[in-house]
Amino acid sequence: MAFQPVDTRVNFPRLEEQVLDLWQRKQIVERSLESGNKPFVFYEGPPTANGRPGIHHAISRIFKDVICRYRAMQGYKIIGRREGWDTHGLPVEIEVEKKLGFSGKPDIEKYGVAEFNAQCRQSVWEYIQDWRQFTRRIAYWVSEDAYITYENDYIESLWWIFRQLWDRGLLFRDYKVSMHCPRCGTSLSDHEVSLGFKDDVDDPSVWIKFHVRETRHEALRGASFVAWTTTPWTLPANVALAVKPDATYVVVSHDGERLVLAEALVHSVLGDGVTVEHTFQGADLVGARYENLFDGVPAPGDTVDWSRAYTVVADDFVSLEDGTGIVHIAPAYGDLEIGRKYGLPTLFSVDLAGNVLPEFASLGFASKFFKQADPDITRNLKSRGLLLKSGRVKHSYPFCWRCDTPLLYYAKRSWYIRTTAMKDRLVANNLLIHWVPEHIRDGRFGNWLENNIDWAVSRERYWGTPIPIWMAEDGYAECIGSLAELEQKVGRSLKDLELHRPYVDEITWVDPQHGLMRRIPDVADCWFDSGAMPIAQWHYPMENAEIYELAKQADYICEAVDQTRGWFYTLHAIATLLFDRPAFKNVICLGHILDAEGQKMSKSRGNVVDPWSVMNEHGADALRWYLFTAAPPGSPRRFSAGLVAESLRKFLLTLWNTYAFFVTYANLDGWTPTKDGVDQHLDPATLVPIDRWALARLNSLVRDVTDAFEAYDVTTAGRAIEDFVDELSNWYVRRNRRRFWKSEHDRDKQAAYATLYTCLLTVAKLAAPFVPFVAEAIYRNLVGLEGHEGQTDAPESVHLAAWPQVHEALLEERLVADTEVLLKAVSVGRAARRAAGIKVRQPLRELWVRASTPAALEGLRRFEAELRDELNVKAVHYLDSAATLVEYRFKPNLRLVGRKYGKLVPAITAALRDLTGDAARAAAQAVEAGETITLTVEGRAIDLLPEEVLVESSSPEGYAVAEDGGVLVALDTTLTPELTMEGLARELVRNIQDARKDAGFAISDRIIVFLGGADGDAEVEATLRAWGDYVREETLADDLRLCAPPDHVHTTVLELDEGRALTIGVSRGGAETRPHGYV
RNA sequence: GGGCGUAUAGCUCAGCAGGUUAGAGCGCGAUCCUGAUAAGAUCGAGGUCGGUGGUUCGAGUCCACCUACGCCCA
């Protein structure tokens, strides 16, 4: 059974398409989704499919995927690994409005709510095919058995939740100021409002005089209160002025007028040249009356108590940061709480469409849009001498996140979920959640919960979950918790009822006591829909109680950071209010992907990178790997296709080439793993150190990747795999190539194959959650599934295979540490060669090496053969204290000495530095022998333990030296004729190999070599006498001919020193060109 | 205005019990190694570790303040 040949010039996108076909053919996805026995609960945060998926959807989908794949390989049955679609809400309505050319609610009413909602229902599927293709291509494994928030079953579950809240008294109706969009005709939720704050909004800034009308203070008579506002349109709704009770207020004369304002703000408002006439505490001003600017309009049907209107109140909320210290109060437009607290009437100046009320017609600004009315109102006040001054100001102001209309603060009747009643539980339950990154828990999310306000859950819109509250004229209300309950109310079957407006609105009944019960017109905030998905996706409690019980709390969710106030919050709020438990245990909170300029990618900016172009060029795995490993998921990161390409080269190609190398030689040798695994070749007792090293590294990798996954640290897990693959390729394979090439099929070769095979197969499994395509291709070929159907018991897909276990017996920390020192010594040795200008190909006589600790030096001794070979030297000597050719220098090991001796550190450092000559040698020997050394520092004797001293040695004279990280390598650069000849032999081999490759010969082709110009060159002839067999063997040459190559053969030129050059020719050998020998 | 986060080489990122000369990859230049490699190695250029102060024998790391950016809240 051979492996399928592997091409190193792999086209990953094409490979991935083949794997996709395979998965489909073998129904791998379905089988994976159904596999497992221990439950692991995942919640899919539903996107709205009314736009094409972008790169930010790619990252959230793969981070969801990678954890689920990992858990699936561990034998978990993943519950909730299914699509979910968020289908309701203003975004959808806005889309449809745009399409139909509407500009507000009246258009929708005219068009008909039934038809409008039908359009909404349809529009959410416009991009569903894009989403499904995207999901498939990026290998986000979810079932297409989707939950859909607009379905009757889903809505019925939401009704049940409403009813639970209702029964607990957590659902209530109240006047409350909310941010109102006059265009959309609806209040916006806090998270919606927060989407639309703009800085640097240009607004009027006016200082208004309010003439004092009635006061007990003589000094106030004839004076005017000065208040500042940026919203002149609210002035007709003014009912009071507020001051800070403990602040100082002054009456000043200014341009012949007497003005009242906070002392602290006099200068900033009026500048210099004012005379203070009198001083008041804010509290003293309470009760003073002033002449109202306009006649505000009460809401229809409201009985207004005018007794407190147009008076001064004192409250701590007043700030002296800006303005005048006197705040204009208009309860209807934001100061409702103050109004209620001080018994003030609520008066209006503009209606819900944002237009000034008709009552102001005589003043000339009726029916104007509130922002447009600002100048008219200011002009009116100016003409009446009530304007102190005016200007413009830039500040932040909220706009509708969808239609960009400036929002109004507006007191309206709405429905609320009393989340504040459970605030302590929200906070406590949050502490049970494992957040990645950690700081979100106590930072952004924790703060948000600390400042919790009641959740405004109703929307005066059309396309959404109808809030199941029916109300009579007299205000009596009932909340309906299921369709059955509603059927009972109306006394007929409603099984064909579509649970949307306007159909649900048509359902009424007559209550014997209260008369006709009609549904309130509101629909639910669509965040309520998604936050309720743990319950509603199963149509609980009407159905699926069993699966709901398993899935009532998620083990894992993952979305971007903008969901802190969105889905993360609504999930958490509903779970806490209903069940007093967190909705999820672990959450990865993704940072935003930014474009190349560091800007957030968003549809409105039009800078969204198309993930398809990246996947088509580099493949989904390359994209996935990059997103997993480039930066921790919580950090915002800049994205460009170039970075994906780099990630591809660095990891996927290295892995692939290692795999290709293995397959190439395994096939040549006919090596296959034994059917029941390869472990009999992997007994540590019989393995050479480098094999044991590879397996030790592999097993510590398994351990590290598993640990990182358990901590939901995907990035660390991925980077660990990348590091291992790098070492496997650039150390293990490179060091062991000859073991694979050699022709004997001995035990050593078997061990090498078994080791590399085990590493590759294990890496394929570890990497499977990250790069499911490449891992699949490698796995299937390695376990013999490709082209050998039915001949193996191995699971048909790496994604159906078991997650690797750590073999403790193979973990050898010491061996791994020793190899690290070796790698360091090799690196330092190369630097020394480089410094001396001597190629690695040129053998040298000897080197001296020193490590920072005796243990490290011992490690080097263990790998002396590797060190000799890597640095191409004949002998290695060790610089310990017995070596006389070096000088020693000492430093304190600060980590230890610092803690122990504190302020003495500089003196100890100096004392160690002063050790020279015999004293230094003695000290070095003491350290090496594990004895303490005694120093006299500031008059006292200090015994330093051997580990508290770092010994450095100078380079021996006449050697090429380099040093780094405590490892020193000194090379003897003396060249003997023998060494020079050997160097030349290797030079010949290298150039002949190059020529072979250039000529396009197969690896196993035997050749004839022509050396033009070598005839008569004593050095070349001598070299070939000594090394001819070696050269022939290395290059598979049947013959080395000292003559100019014939015309037809491939040639290359090797420059020797002093202008000598060899022309090397290679041609394929064969039976007709039997070697006739050169020597 | 408040909260959270980020700030280290041209770019992407490590460095998190405070410790010795601040690293890696990419890119650039040079050299080397190589019959798996689209790879690898070595050297070079490139850093006031955002700034200022403080704690400490010692600060990229801890503290305070400030600046810039991002997100969130107002």
Side-chain angles (χ1 to χ4, degrees):
Chain A
M1 176 187 86
F3 301 105
Q4 294 298 304
V6 176
D7 192 344
T8 55
R9 286 159 308 182
V10 59
N11 178 329
F12 283 120
R14 197 185 310 146
L15 174 88
E16 291 176 359
E17 292 289 353
Q18 289 161 3
V19 172
L20 283 171
D21 285 347
L22 174 96
W23 287 342
Q24 194 152 15
R25 244 181 13 251
K26 307 243 173 216
Q27 298 193 295
I28 302 293
V29 183
E30 293 77 2
R31 284 159 61 190
S32 170
L33 293 180
E34 282 157 21
S35 69
N37 42 34
K38 310 167 272 186
F40 180 83
V41 181
F42 167 70
Y43 289 166
E44 161 75 346
T48 306
N50 67 345
R52 286 195 170 79
I55 202 88
H56 50 299
H57 296 111
I59 190 171
S60 75
R61 278 173 130 53
I62 63 166
F63 268 90
K64 292 169 180 182
D65 186 63
V66 71
I67 296 290
C68 289
R69 284 183 190 273
Y70 164 67
R71 289 295 186 203
M73 288 177 77
Q74 285 186 318
Y76 286 91
K77 158 89 180 153
I78 318 294
I79 301 174
R81 211 172 171 186
R82 62 193 303 215
E83 288 181 345
W85 301 108
D86 196 16
T87 53
H88 281 150
L90 205 55
V92 180
E93 291 195 34
I94 295 276
E95 256 334 281
V96 172
E97 279 196 71
K98 240 189 260 170
K99 199 173 93 192
L100 298 174
F102 292 176
S103 63
K105 287 172 81 172
D107 288 341
I108 299 171
E109 302 273 357
K110 208 162 64 190
Y111 182 74
V113 173
E115 180 53 26
F116 180 77
N117 275 355
Q119 298 262 351
C120 287
R121 173 185 284 260
Q122 208 183 339
S123 87
V124 296
W125 301 119
E126 193 172 332
Y127 293 98
I128 190 69
Q129 282 317 315
D130 294 78
W131 276 86
R132 291 219 155 128
Q133 279 165 18
F134 175 74
T135 298
R136 175 176 185 270
R137 184 62 187 83
I138 205 163
Y140 177 45
W141 279 10
V142 282
S143 148
E144 291 194 359
D145 162 37
Y147 71 87
I148 298 160
T149 61
Y150 72 48
E151 286 182 340
N152 270 12
D153 283 352
Y154 197 94
I155 290 170
E156 194 186 14
S157 287
L158 299 181
W159 282 15
W160 178 80
I161 295 168
F162 273 119
R163 177 61 187 272
Q164 299 300 306
L165 296 170
W166 176 270
D167 288 347
R168 290 166 164 79
L170 295 172
L171 198 56
F172 68 102
R173 188 187 191 207
D174 197 4
Y175 244 141
K176 219 166 180 180
V177 170
S178 48
M179 298 307 291
H180 174 84
C181 174
R183 198 211 72 89
C184 302
T186 184
S187 29
L188 273 65
S189 66
D190 303 310
H191 23 257
E192 287 171 318
V193 173
S194 67
L195 294 171
F197 265 91
K198 289 190 191 173
D199 294 330
D200 294 333
V201 176
D202 186 51
D203 262 328
S205 169
V206 297
W207 286 262
I208 307 297
K209 293 179 283 189
F210 295 78
H211 290 324
V212 177
R213 185 162 67 86
E214 207 181 299
T215 172
R216 58 195 159 92
H217 298 292
E218 192 57 36
L220 284 179
R221 288 191 207 288
S224 299
F225 297 112
V226 180
W228 171 71
T229 184
T230 57
T231 53
W233 60 271
T234 62
L235 288 168
N238 169 274
V239 293
L241 295 172
V243 296
K244 192 174 181 65
D246 55 353
T248 305
Y249 287 80
V250 291
V251 181
V252 300
S253 75
H254 173 263
D255 286 351
E257 290 182 296
R258 297 174 59 244
L259 305 174
V260 185
L261 69 168
E263 182 179 38
L265 291 156
V266 169
H267 185 79
S268 68
V269 176
L270 299 173
D272 297 325
V274 298
T275 319
V276 175
E277 291 188 358
H278 204 92
T279 303
F280 290 97
Q281 279 300 103
D284 295 337
L285 298 171
V286 172
R289 292 177 178 275
Y290 60 89
E291 291 170 16
N292 52 313
L293 307 174
F294 301 97
D295 293 321
V297 181
D302 257 13
T303 350
V304 171
D305 172 11
W306 295 94
S307 63
R308 308 288 292 275
Y310 312 124
T311 60
V312 174
V313 299
D315 196 281
D316 280 321
F317 90 91
V318 176
S319 115
L320 299 179
E321 297 268 314
D322 50 17
T324 66
I326 301 178
V327 176
H328 138 66
I329 303 292
Y333 303 111
D335 307 314
L336 192 71
E337 295 301 326
I338 294 294
R340 207 175 273 149
K341 195 165 165 186
Y342 297 101
L344 305 171
T346 303
L347 304 178
F348 292 84
S349 56
V350 304
D351 64 16
L352 286 167
N355 296 325
V356 178
L357 294 166
E359 281 82 350
F360 296 98
S362 63
L363 298 174
F365 42 82
S367 308
K368 288 204 173 184
F369 195 61
F370 67 104
K371 285 278 182 187
Q372 266 92 60
D374 280 340
D376 298 290
I377 293 169
T378 307
R379 217 174 298 125
N380 176 287
L381 292 169
K382 188 176 183 184
S383 70
R384 293 157 58 195
L386 298 175
L387 182 72
L388 175 66
K389 60 174 183 171
S390 67
R392 307 293 296 178
V393 69
K394 286 201 189 297
H395 64 159
S396 96
Y397 193 85
F399 286 73
C400 181
W401 66 300
R402 275 293 163 183
C403 69
D404 217 29
T405 305
L407 299 178
L408 287 167
Y409 292 86
Y410 209 112
K412 288 196 295 189
R413 287 200 172 265
S414 297
W415 288 89
Y416 289 88
I417 296 177
R418 203 184 302 278
T419 53
T420 51
M422 299 277 287
K423 181 182 140 181
D424 292 348
R425 299 309 307 156
L426 289 170
V427 170
N429 284 332
N430 175 38
L431 298 180
L432 305 174
I433 299 169
H434 174 219
W435 287 87
V436 177
E438 222 168 313
H439 62 75
I440 305 279
R441 188 189 80 175
D442 296 326
R444 189 173 293 203
F445 198 66
N447 286 336
W448 165 249
L449 295 178
E450 286 292 344
N451 301 317
N452 186 255
I453 51 168
D454 288 329
W455 178 2
V457 75
S458 63
R459 296 287 181 276
E460 297 146 308
R461 295 295 308 185
Y462 307 96
W463 178 238
T465 299
I467 294 181
I469 296 172
W470 270 257
M471 215 179 222
E473 284 285 320
D474 64 1
Y476 170 75
E478 287 185 28
C479 183
I480 300 299
S482 69
L483 205 52
E485 204 184 330
L486 190 60
E487 285 176 334
Q488 211 180 357
K489 288 286 179 192
V490 301
R492 61 188 161 94
S493 165
L494 296 173
K495 71 176 171 55
D496 294 325
L497 178 66
E498 139 103 51
L499 291 188
H500 279 103
R501 300 185 69 188
Y503 311 107
V504 174
D505 300 339
E506 290 158 10
I507 307 297
T508 61
W509 69 90
V510 176
D511 182 273
Q513 257 115 64
H514 302 277
L516 185 67
M517 299 289 286
R518 308 182 70 94
R519 198 187 71 84
I520 61 168
D522 308 65
V523 298
D525 176 3
C526 61
W527 290 106
F528 184 81
D529 292 7
S530 51
M533 64 71 74
I535 300 162
Q537 69 165 327
W538 305 114
H539 192 208
Y540 181 83
M542 295 80 187
E543 281 187 81
N544 295 320
E546 219 167 290
I547 191 163
Y548 171 76
E549 270 310 308
L550 288 174
K552 63 189 179 185
Q553 186 176 42
D555 289 296
Y556 172 62
I557 64 171
C558 167
E559 302 293 334
V561 67
D562 54 339
Q563 296 298 329
T564 313
R565 267 77 172 180
W567 194 55
F568 294 153
Y569 173 65
T570 58
L571 275 178
H572 188 63
I574 291 173
T576 297
L577 261 53
L578 260 49
F579 312 114
D580 193 16
R581 64 169 178 241
F584 45 91
K585 294 180 188 166
N586 300 283
V587 51
I588 294 180
C589 190
L590 300 168
H592 286 131
I593 298 193
L594 310 174
D595 69 10
E597 275 74 51
Q599 294 287 309
K600 180 182 169 180
M601 286 188 192
S602 67
K603 257 190 288 188
S604 53
R605 283 205 182 88
N607 60 352
V608 177
V609 170
D610 179 13
W612 281 104
S613 64
V614 180
M615 289 193 289
N616 289 338
E617 189 179 352
H618 303 297
D621 275 350
L623 176 61
R624 289 174 63 115
W625 190 257
Y626 169 75
L627 291 173
F628 286 134
T629 56
S635 320
R637 69 282 280 305
R638 297 187 181 198
F639 182 84
S640 72
L643 293 167
V644 175
E646 182 187 324
S647 168
L648 170 83
R649 277 197 303 274
K650 178 99 176 69
F651 174 65
L652 285 178
L653 278 175
T654 307
L655 173 61
W656 191 263
N657 285 320
T658 308
Y659 159 66
F661 170 86
F662 168 81
V663 168
T664 302
Y665 285 94
N667 280 347
L668 281 176
D669 280 332
W671 186 89
T672 55
T674 52
K675 196 167 165 64
D676 54 345
V678 290
D679 284 354
Q680 70 267 38
H681 294 299
L682 298 179
D683 174 5
T686 67
L687 289 176
V688 295
I690 195 162
D691 290 348
R692 280 166 40 215
W693 169 80
L695 295 168
R697 274 288 281 121
L698 179 72
N699 278 281
S700 64
L701 176 73
V702 172
R703 183 191 58 201
D704 294 347
V705 170
T706 307
D707 288 351
F709 261 128
E710 288 301 318
Y712 290 83
D713 187 351
V714 176
T715 303
T716 296
R719 285 174 175 174
I721 297 172
E722 188 165 279
D723 290 345
F724 177 79
V725 168
D726 181 69
E727 287 180 36
L728 185 68
S729 168
N730 291 312
W731 183 251
Y732 185 80
V733 172
R734 185 166 64 75
R735 286 295 319 158
N736 290 295
R737 270 183 293 217
R738 283 180 183 274
R739 293 169 71 194
F740 296 100
W741 294 340
K742 67 183 177 187
S743 43
E744 303 89 339
H745 285 263
D746 57 8
R747 185 183 186 84
D748 176 64
K749 187 179 214 176
Q750 293 296 321
Y753 274 120
T755 302
L756 184 54
Y757 178 84
T758 302
C759 288
L760 284 168
L761 186 58
T762 307
V763 165
K765 291 176 185 171
L766 293 175
F770 300 88
V771 283
F773 297 101
V774 172
E776 184 77 302
I778 294 175
Y779 167 86
R780 284 183 53 88
N781 196 15
L782 289 182
V783 298
L785 282 161
E786 291 298 332
H788 310 283
E789 299 286 335
Q791 292 176 35
T792 169
D793 305 333
E796 276 201 90
S797 162
V798 71
H799 307 291
L800 299 173
W803 187 253
Q805 300 291 308
V806 179
H807 297 288
E808 301 285 342
L810 294 172
L811 287 172
E812 292 187 75
E813 304 292 349
R814 178 68 196 278
L815 181 63
V816 172
D818 288 348
T819 302
E820 262 174 50
V821 179
L822 170 64
L823 290 173
K824 177 51 104 181
V826 169
S827 160
V828 171
R830 291 215 177 103
R833 274 187 169 271
R834 153 90 197 168
I838 300 173
K839 295 176 178 182
V840 178
R841 216 177 289 134
Q842 174 60 57
L844 292 174
R845 194 164 57 187
E846 61 181 13
L847 66 74
W848 291 82
V849 62
R850 184 185 61 68
S852 53
T853 65
L857 203 62
E858 199 48 47
L860 288 177
R861 286 183 203 274
R862 187 175 186 177
F863 287 118
E864 181 180 311
E866 278 79 6
L867 192 58
R868 272 203 313 265
D869 194 48
E870 281 290 311
L871 293 176
N872 198 14
V873 295
K874 299 298 175 194
V876 173
H877 304 293
Y878 300 90
L879 284 171
D880 52 26
S881 57
T884 53
L885 68 168
V886 288
E887 290 290 320
Y888 292 94
R889 294 184 306 272
F890 300 88
K891 284 196 226 168
N893 186 344
L894 287 172
R895 193 185 286 267
L896 303 174
V897 171
R899 191 170 311 157
K900 194 159 161 187
Y901 295 103
K903 290 189 191 220
L904 283 175
V905 165
I908 292 173
T909 306
L912 284 172
R913 195 176 49 229
D914 290 344
L915 286 174
T916 50
D918 290 346
R921 186 166 316 284
Q925 281 169 353
V927 169
E928 195 173 281
E931 295 159 8
T932 61
I933 61 175
T934 304
L935 297 173
T936 307
V937 175
E938 291 183 357
R940 58 183 268 212
I942 286 186
D943 291 330
L944 290 179
L945 302 173
E947 63 267 27
E948 289 169 346
V949 181
L950 299 177
V951 185
E952 292 177 358
S953 46
S954 62
S955 56
E957 287 296 318
Y959 286 69
V961 176
E963 181 174 10
D964 187 50
V967 175
L968 176 143
V969 174
L971 291 165
D972 179 352
T973 56
T974 317
L975 286 180
T976 61
E978 287 73 27
L979 290 171
T980 308
M981 275 203 292
E982 187 179 347
L984 177 59
R986 291 189 56 159
E987 194 74 49
L988 283 171
V989 168
R990 161 78 212 292
N991 280 275
I992 294 165
Q993 299 287 36
D994 249 12
R996 280 185 62 112
K997 209 172 174 182
D998 281 349
F1001 295 169
I1003 292 170
S1004 52
D1005 282 347
R1006 301 201 67 87
I1007 58 167
I1008 294 169
V1009 175
F1010 303 90
L1011 293 173
D1015 198 7
D1017 186 309
E1019 190 190 345
V1020 174
E1021 289 191 3
T1023 298
L1024 289 179
R1025 254 193 307 279
W1027 294 95
D1029 289 343
Y1030 162 76
V1031 173
R1032 276 192 293 272
E1033 199 174 300
E1034 285 295 311
T1035 60
L1036 295 185
D1038 286 333
D1039 197 4
L1040 289 171
R1041 296 183 189 168
L1042 281 187
C1043 62
D1047 289 346
H1048 62 279
V1049 308
H1050 185 87
T1051 61
T1052 182
V1053 175
L1054 167 60
E1055 301 282 350
L1056 302 175
D1057 56 345
E1058 293 149 15
R1060 291 182 299 150
L1062 294 180
T1063 304
I1064 297 173
V1066 291
S1067 74
R1068 277 200 187 83
E1072 71 279 13
T1073 55
R1074 289 309 307 159
H1076 46 265
Y1078 146 70
V1079 188

